[in-house]
Amino acid sequence: MPASLTTGSVRVGVLSLVTAMSAMGLSQVACADLQWGDGNSYQQESSYQQDNSVEYFNAAAQAENRGDISALFNYEQMMSGGLFAMYPTYWRMNLDLNSQSPAAVAQFVRQYPNTVMAEKLVADYAETKAAAGDYAPIRQIANLITNADASERCAVALGFNHGGDTMRAMAAKSDVWLITKKQPALCDQLAMEMNDNPLISNQDRKARLKRMLRKGNTGDIIALSSRLGTPIPYSALGDIQLNTSAFFTRFNREPSSQINQYLYLYALGRMADKSYREAALQLDFDIKQDNQRPLRLLNEETRRYAYRILGVQRMNHNTDDGFNVEAVDWFRKSLDDDFSDEEAEYYAMAAIRFGRWDDVTQAISKMNVETQKMDQWQYWLARAYEQSNDAGKRGLARQIYQRLAKSNEYYGLMAKDKVGQRFNANQLGGNNLPNISSTDRARVMQNPHFARAFALYNADASRAYANREWNWAVKQARDNRDDSLIVAAARVAYDMDWLDRAIYAIDNSDSVNNLALSHPMPHQSAVVRYSQSAGIDPAWAYGIMRQESRFVTSARSNVGASGLMQVMPDTAKYIARNLGETYSASRANSGDTNIRYGTWYMGDILGKLNYQPVLATAGYNAGPNNAKRWQPAYGSLAADQYVESIAYPETRNYVKHVMENATIYSSLLGRPQPISQRMGTIPPTF
């Protein structure tokens, strides 16, 4: 075990500098010049004892893994005043977080202000207390949480909801109220409890009830319908579950009460869960019955939402059944003023797929104002206006494109092509790394957040801790609008070959652009050589590599993909067989072999998928069979329409990022190719 520290009057800022420098292999500072890569130097005029707390960090982490509270108390004393002083205290408190008092948590935040571990402790505490149903402590520490994720926001809202502060509880309404996709358990709980919030209107309740009827969430259905004064009996829901067809037979004979209207939507949702085709036939039959009766069985609201159920369910089956324009027709028949963003996005995706541009415009108009402003939907609004016979709308489309073209992300690059602009890497520094002053380099090392990140990176510690400290440091610098600090930190990380954090820093800044840092090209000779051998574009290979691993050689996914190109073990075995090699897991994961295997596989998929790079990119992520399944059955399809309608959200975003990356890399490699030309057109399956 390392000797104990004597911290005395040592300042944290200076300890940050010394610790980080020590971690990077530099000797103890004593009246020495610290030389930087650019030939500049930083004068350190005093002598300070080396901060060994990073060594204690590893030992304390092992004590935390053992649950050894006594050892953690000892490390708190030994590490006091050091760069990592907060960690043993955090680990000790976190071992039994539910038993901690809000005062103890608040004291930790005061002792270690603006640190990522203080933020993590207080946020974790709110979630833990909410899960335990102990809400008063949450209200006492809520104002200390500054960077909450969805689950943490819901925990805070639950705290206020149980304290009678209904206004603050309502802050999370848009995040949870009409969501039917999977969300954190605390958010489901909050949505359920909001039913009793006096600021929730009956119109709100009816809107949520219809979604819960579609999803079949029994508890929500009973609670919401009761508050609306139309209580739905549990037994009625159970009967429908047992025999859905029998309900429709009864429904066609009974008066159409409000409860029966709700039960109709519930029954149609259960039938659609099994077969949207059968549900569509049932709805068509019931509407024909309506037209033959003096009094309709289905009121207009029920009829419209019944079609919404069909539209949503159809979109959920695109991967299995292929795309069909009937989804657009069903959404159009469901048009009213009660669309959730989730439903409107499904409608927009279906309309985009089939070039139903009026429906695209309609769908976007149903999204909330903030969602409509997103680059994604602004681009598609412009695409829709572009097809109009109205010269005014076509002019508006060009204005939108011109605004989007200021960005170099996917939609910005697409918009550039629309207005005749070309992406030019040289305008953003090209391959030239930024020159960083010695003052800014020193500021990086004097910043405790960056210093902790660098020290942990160089120590034998879990990379998760280093990444967390780094991400927090970038956030603090961004919040302070300190672009020069972000660039300097990214350059230091780049020089240390910590490329993924250099990329993160530039990508997560508001106004910094430097392509040498955000789009590095390690292993360039191997990437170019193996790409050419495989018959693929090196820019595309870099686009895949950047998205897959951020150039972390040791990267490993939760499904077993590994290396720079994130090659799955079974895929690596397939590649080795085709190359006439004996499979070796360690060799397949190594940098050079992993690049060779990954580029060979890219070429293999490209050949199997019509030599179409968008299809091959989707195939690299989701498998070639899925990429084929998403092709149009007949006729060609614009590549951007194909990408936007990919059924898997992960793959959809993956393809966009890879195409963006490849476009940028093509310019960096001196062979620029516009993104729309790169993406091309998607041919039919047959």
Side-chain angles (χ1 to χ4, degrees), residues 5 34 40 86 118 124 129 168 182 199 218 294 330 335 353 369 387 481 503 522 545 555-556 560 631:
L5 289 174
L34 301 183
N40 294 317
M86 70 287 295
D124 288 349
K129 285 298 184 182
R168 292 184 74 175
K182 186 176 181 180
L199 297 177
T218 304
W330 286 334
L335 280 173
R353 174 78 184 198
V369 174
Q387 317 302 319
R481 299 182 179 181
I503 292 169
M545 192 185 297
R556 189 175 184 85
Q631 283 180 255

Side-chain angles (χ1 to χ4, degrees), residues 1-21:
M1 182 181 293
S4 61
L5 289 174
T6 304
T7 54
S9 61
V10 178
R11 299 190 316 269
V12 171
V14 175
L15 280 173
S16 303
L17 174 64
V18 177
T19 303
M21 288 302 169

Side-chain angles (χ1 to χ4, degrees), residues 355 439 508:
T439 300
N508 286 275

